[in-house]
Amino acid sequence: MRDNHHVTLKIHIDDGAPPYEQVRAQISEQARSGALPVGYRLPTVRGLAESLGLAANTVAKAYRALEADGVIETRGRNGTFVAAAGSAAEREAAAAAQAYAERVRRLGLDEDAALAAVRDALRAAYER
């Protein structure tokens, strides 16, 4: 087990996006950037909720979304850890993109129309 005492999870909640989304986005970004290393043990849902002044189910919702995205993994009673999943997420995204490209080509869309559809979908998915 690596010593991660020098790594601290820092989350700042503001009045912008919903709190669970801020927790999800900040943990995801810190894991992707390496600020939170693979194998870093995250605080418990209750512990993080208390430190941020949020409801436990707000943090639980963020953790569930992060787990679904492959950013974190829960190992039963041992806790929740940053997963070695950046590359897995990228592989899955590349596979989805490949399937999309093949499908729109079969549908007869040109590249500009296919890109416009992706831009619209991404805008809707990431809208704040």
Side-chain angles (χ1 to χ4, degrees):
M1 186 79 187
R2 262 198 354 251
D3 177 20
N4 291 320
H5 291 292
H6 62 284
V7 177
T8 313
L9 176 60
K10 292 188 182 72
I11 294 183
H12 306 285
I13 302 298
D14 60 37
D15 292 330
Y20 93 89
E21 172 55 25
Q22 294 182 52
V23 172
R24 186 209 60 75
Q26 290 180 52
I27 291 175
S28 182
E29 172 55 35
Q30 291 179 49
R32 207 174 21 255
S33 72
L36 292 178
V38 169
Y40 174 80
R41 186 177 181 175
L42 291 161
T44 63
V45 166
R46 191 176 311 277
L48 184 56
E50 285 174 6
S51 72
L52 295 174
L54 297 173
N57 42 353
T58 298
V59 173
K61 185 176 182 181
Y63 276 21
R64 281 194 304 274
L66 287 161
E67 192 160 25
D69 290 345
V71 175
I72 65 175
E73 59 188 5
T74 301
R75 301 179 196 154
R77 294 175 185 215
N78 294 324
T80 303
F81 299 85
V82 173
S87 59
E90 288 163 10
R91 280 196 309 273
E92 193 172 326
Q98 182 72 42
Y100 173 77
E102 290 168 7
R103 181 151 184 211
V104 294
R105 199 185 70 226
R106 278 197 314 274
L107 292 170
L109 290 181
D110 67 13
E111 196 172 326
D112 289 339
L115 276 171
V118 167
R119 269 195 296 280
D120 289 344
L122 286 171
R123 206 171 289 123
Y126 286 90
E127 196 171 76
R128 297 202 165 248

